[in-house]
């Protein structure tokens, strides 16, 4: 209903300090939310990115573009990744997999791109049964499949820091990044 959409759409953006925050709907084919490069959502994303002048951009959606987890890569969201990469976005957060995984900055093809790539963090450790990693994606840096926890993310002017906190309070991954 109205509580899950803005203007009848299940995708939107807001500014938060120096950051432009984009929420997308990766349930491609459900609720009329196609994800192809010609979809209403992808056109909206390109327009939104072109109209925004924030230094830092983060995007969130459910299905990860890249994953070493049980479900693997979600190619259906490739158009999102391409638009975000072209616009110089820094960070993508996903769920879906029942694990935690952090990637090196990547281009739309999954190649390491330290200068202009997007860092992806998959944090699906909130309660479903954890699943082991099936295969290791080429740009995967950190993989955790044996601990429930949360991602703590701090957005700063010009960058961010993150910590993956296990439910026992231990820090299992941490790092930071700067905006392009």
């Amino acid at each position: 209903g109205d509580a899950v959409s803005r203007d009848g759409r299940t995708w939107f953006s807001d500014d938060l300090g120096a950051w432009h925050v984009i929420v997308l709907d990766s349930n491609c084919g459900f609720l009329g939310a196609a994800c192809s490069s010609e979809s209403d959502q992808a056109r909206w994303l390109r327009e939104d990115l072109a109209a925004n002048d924030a230094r830092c951009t983060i995007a969130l959606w459910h299905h990860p573009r890249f994953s070493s987890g049980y479900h693997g890569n979600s190619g259906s969201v490739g158009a999102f990744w391409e638009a975000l990469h072209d616009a110089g976005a820094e960070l993508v957060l996903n769920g879906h997999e029942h694990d935690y995984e952090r990637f090196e900055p990547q281009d739309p093809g999954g190649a390491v791109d330290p200068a202009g790539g997007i860092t992806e963090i998959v944090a699906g450790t909130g309660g479903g049964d954890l699943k082991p990693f099936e295969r290791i994606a080429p740009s995967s840096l950190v993989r955790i499949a044996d601990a429930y926890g949360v991602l703590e993310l701090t957005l700063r002017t010009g960058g961010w820091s993150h910590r993956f906190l296990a439910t026992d309070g231990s820090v299992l991954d941490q790092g930071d990044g700067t905006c392009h």
Side-chain angles (χ1 to χ4, degrees), residues 96-99 123-131 145-149:
H96 192 56
E97 298 289 4
H98 293 213
D99 58 41
T125 55
D129 290 340
L130 297 173
K131 298 192 184 291
D146 60 357
Y148 292 100

Side-chain angles (χ1 to χ4, degrees), residues 113-132:
D113 180 3
I118 301 170
T119 298
E120 180 185 40
I121 300 175
V122 179
T125 55
D129 290 340
L130 297 173
K131 298 192 184 291

Side-chain angles (χ1 to χ4, degrees), residues 19 56 90-91 100 102-105 114 117-121 141-142 151-164 171 173-180:
W19 284 78
C56 307
E90 282 70 39
L91 194 56
Y100 172 88
R102 181 169 52 89
F103 288 84
E104 294 185 67
I118 301 170
T119 298
E120 180 185 40
I121 300 175
L141 283 176
V142 177
L151 176 65
E152 177 185 79
L153 185 64
T154 303
L155 302 177
R156 300 182 313 272
T157 301
W160 75 91
S161 60
H162 69 275
R163 297 189 316 162
F164 177 66
V171 177
D173 183 40
Q174 63 184 352
D176 55 24
T178 58
C179 298
H180 302 120

Side-chain angles (χ1 to χ4, degrees), residues 10 38 51 62 81 86 93 96 100-102 151 167 172:
T10 54
E38 299 308 313
H62 186 68
W81 200 276
D86 290 349
L93 303 181
H96 192 56
Y100 172 88
E101 186 170 22
R102 181 169 52 89
L151 176 65
T167 54
L172 301 181

Side-chain angles (χ1 to χ4, degrees), residues 19-42:
W19 284 78
H20 187 59
V21 180
I22 301 169
V23 176
L24 298 171
D25 187 346
S26 66
N27 284 309
C28 307
F30 295 101
L31 305 173
C35 300
S36 75
S37 62
E38 299 308 313
S39 69
D40 289 344
Q41 184 174 198

